[in-house]
Amino acid sequence: MSSNFKKKLEKRKGLFKKKNSEDSSRSKRNKVNISISKKKRESRLMKRRNIQSTEEIPEIQDFNNIIKGTKSKNMDQIVECVQQIRILLSQNSEPPIDLVLKSGVIPTFVEMLSQKENSFLTFETAWIFSNICSGTHAQTKSVVDHGVIPIFIELLDSKDLPIVEQSIWGLGNISGDCDEYRLLILDNKIVIPKLISVFNRYPITLEIIKLAVWTLSGLFKNSPPLAPKLCQLVFPIFSTYLQDPKEELLVDSCWGMSYICHDPVNIEQLISGDCIPRLIQLLEKDDDEIIISSIRILSSVMGGTNKQTEHVLQAGILKPLKKLMQSTHIRIVKEACFALSNITAGTEDQIQLIIDEELIPEIIDLLSNKNPKISREACWIMCNAINGGNTEQIEIFIKAKIIEKLCVFLLSDEILVVKIVLEAYHKMLNVGVEISIQREEEENIVAEKMDELDISSLIEKISRSKKDKISKIAQTIQNHFFYFDDDDDDQDYYQDYDQDYDQDYDQDYDQESISD
């Protein structure tokens, strides 16, 4: 090998910049997860309390007379008519919510909900309102606009447990309608303490526990995140019911815990409370919601420090994840891949555990998955592993045909995806330099393969893109590995890149086009 060529190889090797610091790849990857996890869990948002088996459904043609009866001066008649409306709204199919709203009876029901003389009447009207709020946004709005939220919150202090139960139900349905109403409920600073106090009452039924856990879980989802003090208040509730064998309690406890575990304080509490083994155990459940919500929590933990990631790894998460990657459920595979991407964003030793578990071939196969959500997550796993791995590890990836598999992601419309793939190619090219030096060969095996596959042409095209954040990286790759130019400005590029990378991350995540 000529001395001139060797000097150039050494120069390029010296330019290598390791990207996978504890504060970069994993923490930034976790920001993407927070964005993704804002989507609604449609199947568990709204609940209608159905008719009791012994009750007879009134004839709808009697509706007008029933409405008139609610305004009678005879209390027994009022109670009977209110109960009949509640029964109509508790039907499994097509409850006449709009008919009730158009009747103009809502203000009357609000007065009944507020009165304290007849607890049965309060209970029935609370049931009516919670069932209306299991309907559309417009139907829920008609109730909220009449001031039902503060009344429900006040009723949480009732000594009548059925009224407490129905008030929790109503608040859960309202908060599940939209973020605006969720935050409107939380504007009342006492609502969380009042809900938590329900767990300390005696006697308390399993149904109330289920509703309270479900409602608390719903109040903590989406953005903006709630104050750390509130998260600390509900942490023991979710932590307790993570241990419960009842699946409905498990699902909502897991989702609730996943919402509050974006806070590092709660992650540490989760670890010290020995919840990690239980969460890994839950990955073996047959319930998809339990599996997905458990992975979300574990991913949040592994989105923290390397030490936190190590705690989850030592608890034995890799074998369950390997099994879940073979699931036919798209969401489960995607979440499993996300968890793995947080692991490969860690240390070389943590990346090695993925290799030792023989997960790399399966992950590389997922790069070609027809579902873009899965292939994209697999791309993150491998790019994190490449950018944080050592030479020996990257050689394993190259032998597994990672060079060939990654190139399709250079055509992605997501700037951030293109960026991490370019960084991965840059790292592999530098490893190619190391291999050339070690073997005293003039050819860079990575550059050769990229030329053979015409990946260099794709990179050259990206280098001419108007998107500076990716064109700079592509230009550097092009200049240093596909033609020689001794007057390059590598060091200036990396100084600029260091300053810009962090602040531009969130802007880049918007799915903007990379076409010229």
Side-chain angles (χ1 to χ4, degrees):
M1 178 163 57
S2 69
S3 60
N4 185 44
F5 187 81
K6 187 171 182 178
K7 286 179 182 177
K8 289 178 179 179
L9 290 180
E10 290 287 1
K11 177 184 177 183
R12 293 173 192 174
K13 181 179 178 182
L15 288 170
F16 167 66
K17 177 186 178 187
K18 185 174 180 180
K19 297 297 301 171
N20 267 43
S21 70
E22 190 171 338
D23 296 326
S24 60
S25 295
R26 183 183 288 131
S27 59
K28 289 168 183 171
R29 188 71 186 99
N30 206 38
K31 290 180 185 177
V32 179
N33 189 41
I34 293 171
S35 175
I36 292 170
S37 68
K38 291 176 184 176
K39 296 179 181 179
K40 286 185 176 181
R41 294 178 291 119
E42 294 179 358
S43 64
R44 304 194 65 80
L45 282 180
M46 310 295 277
K47 295 184 178 182
R48 179 185 297 114
R49 183 171 187 172
N50 293 327
I51 190 172
Q52 296 175 359
S53 59
T54 58
E55 294 177 320
E56 183 179 345
I57 300 174
E59 296 294 334
I60 197 67
Q61 52 262 40
D62 295 332
F63 182 77
N64 289 335
N65 290 331
I66 295 172
I67 291 295
K68 287 179 183 178
T70 63
K71 299 177 182 179
S72 168
K73 293 183 180 180
N74 184 301
M75 181 55 69
D76 289 340
Q77 186 180 4
I78 291 173
V79 170
E80 181 183 354
C81 290
V82 169
Q83 187 176 37
Q84 287 182 315
I85 291 174
R86 188 269 299 164
I87 292 171
L88 283 170
L89 294 178
S90 302
Q91 297 178 79
N92 283 320
S93 61
E94 300 182 2
I97 295 177
D98 284 332
L99 195 61
V100 173
L101 295 176
K102 289 175 183 177
S103 72
V105 77
I106 296 301
T108 303
F109 286 166
V110 172
E111 290 179 15
M112 293 177 184
L113 187 68
S114 303
Q115 61 82 37
K116 298 179 181 178
E117 292 77 19
N118 190 319
S119 60
F120 184 76
L121 191 59
T122 300
F123 171 73
E124 290 289 336
T125 50
W127 192 340
I128 286 171
F129 283 130
S130 63
N131 276 3
I132 291 174
C133 292
S134 70
T136 66
H137 174 68
Q139 291 166 344
T140 304
K141 185 177 187 301
S142 68
V143 169
V144 173
D145 288 350
H146 279 87
V148 164
I149 288 176
I151 302 175
F152 271 145
I153 293 174
E154 184 180 352
L155 289 175
L156 293 175
D157 291 327
S158 174
K159 294 180 180 179
D160 193 321
L161 282 179
I163 291 176
V164 174
E165 176 184 358
Q166 202 57 60
S167 300
I168 295 171
W169 209 320
L171 289 170
N173 278 347
I174 293 170
S175 69
D177 181 80
C178 64
D179 271 356
E180 178 188 353
Y181 294 162
R182 181 179 70 89
L183 296 174
L184 191 60
I185 292 172
L186 290 167
D187 279 344
N188 192 317
K189 304 300 181 184
I190 62 173
V191 67
I192 297 296
K194 281 194 174 189
L195 281 168
I196 291 174
S197 72
V198 170
F199 292 92
N200 300 320
R201 296 191 187 181
Y202 183 85
I204 184 171
T205 66
L206 176 61
E207 188 60 34
I208 294 180
I209 293 173
K210 288 178 180 179
L211 284 169
V213 171
W214 170 71
T215 298
L216 282 169
S217 173
L219 285 170
F220 278 79
K221 77 180 185 68
N222 288 1
S223 63
L226 298 185
K229 287 184 179 179
L230 289 178
C231 293
Q232 289 295 298
L233 283 175
V234 300
F235 184 93
I237 302 293
F238 295 142
S239 177
T240 296
Y241 293 108
L242 278 178
Q243 310 296 332
D244 200 285
K246 300 173 191 68
E247 294 202 347
E248 191 168 353
L249 282 173
L250 280 175
V251 170
D252 290 313
S253 298
C254 284
W255 278 116
M257 187 67 81
S258 75
Y259 299 143
I260 68 174
C261 273
H262 297 309
D263 186 333
V265 173
N266 293 324
I267 290 177
E268 277 302 313
Q269 197 170 345
L270 189 77
I271 292 172
S272 63
D274 206 28
C275 293
I276 301 299
R278 172 58 172 164
L279 288 165
I280 293 175
Q281 183 186 53
L282 292 179
L283 298 181
E284 304 288 344
K285 286 281 186 180
D286 291 332
D287 189 299
D288 292 345
E289 290 293 323
I290 292 175
I291 293 171
I292 292 168
S293 53
S294 298
I295 297 177
R296 286 276 179 91
I297 303 170
L298 293 165
S299 291
S300 291
V301 176
M302 294 189 294
T305 66
N306 288 335
K307 183 178 179 181
Q308 290 168 339
T309 303
E310 191 64 28
H311 188 95
V312 180
L313 285 167
Q314 292 304 315
I317 192 175
L318 286 182
K319 288 188 185 299
L321 283 182
K322 185 175 183 179
K323 182 179 177 181
L324 293 176
M325 285 176 65
Q326 299 164 358
S327 170
T328 56
H329 195 306
I330 291 172
R331 286 178 65 201
I332 288 177
V333 178
K334 184 178 79 70
E335 295 292 344
C337 287
F338 187 93
L340 286 168
S341 75
N342 271 348
I343 298 171
T344 58
T347 65
E348 291 178 5
D349 287 342
Q350 289 168 351
I351 294 170
Q352 189 61 44
L353 289 175
I354 300 285
I355 296 172
D356 293 344
E357 196 63 42
E358 300 181 347
L359 282 164
I360 296 303
E362 293 187 40
I363 297 166
I364 290 180
D365 281 346
L366 290 179
L367 290 168
S368 303
N369 193 281
K370 293 180 180 179
N371 188 293
K373 293 180 181 179
I374 292 176
S375 60
R376 179 182 179 279
E377 294 300 327
C379 176
W380 271 100
I381 299 172
M382 292 311 304
C383 287
N384 281 349
I386 292 166
N387 288 326
N390 57 40
T391 299
E392 291 74 19
Q393 290 168 341
I394 293 170
E395 281 193 86
I396 291 172
F397 306 152
I398 291 172
K399 290 176 182 176
K401 302 189 181 300
I402 190 62
I403 295 174
E404 295 90 327
K405 292 284 190 176
L406 275 184
C407 66
V408 67
F409 295 95
L410 292 174
L411 303 173
S412 172
D413 286 337
E414 293 183 61
I415 294 295
L416 188 55
V417 171
V418 177
K419 181 184 287 185
I420 62 168
V421 173
L422 286 171
E423 290 169 358
Y425 276 124
H426 195 190
K427 174 69 178 284
M428 287 189 286
L429 285 162
N430 275 291
V431 167
V433 170
E434 293 185 15
I435 294 171
S436 299
I437 293 172
Q438 291 168 3
R439 298 177 183 176
E440 296 188 351
E441 298 173 351
E442 293 199 1
E443 297 298 336
N444 183 328
I445 60 170
V446 177
E448 271 193 301
K449 191 65 178 178
M450 290 174 68
D451 254 339
E452 177 189 325
L453 298 169
D454 213 23
I455 298 172
S456 55
S457 296
L458 275 177
I459 291 175
E460 194 273 334
K461 182 179 179 181
I462 295 171
S463 73
R464 292 185 280 106
S465 166
K466 293 179 182 178
K467 304 296 181 183
D468 288 345
K469 303 306 180 295
I470 56 174
S471 62
K472 281 185 179 181
I473 311 172
Q475 286 165 13
T476 299
I477 292 173
Q478 191 70 19
N479 290 342
H480 300 160
F481 296 99
F482 297 107
Y483 60 82
F484 295 143
D485 183 355
D486 289 332
D487 297 323
D488 56 58
D489 58 350
D490 289 337
Q491 300 297 342
D492 290 338
Y493 158 72
Y494 277 119
Q495 289 170 6
D496 293 341
Y497 188 61
D498 274 335
Q499 294 169 2
D500 294 344
Y501 191 84
D502 287 338
Q503 64 189 25
D504 291 331
Y505 174 85
D506 291 325
Q507 298 171 8
D508 289 342
Y509 183 62
D510 294 335
Q511 294 187 1
E512 47 188 336
S513 171
I514 65 169
S515 58
D516 290 335

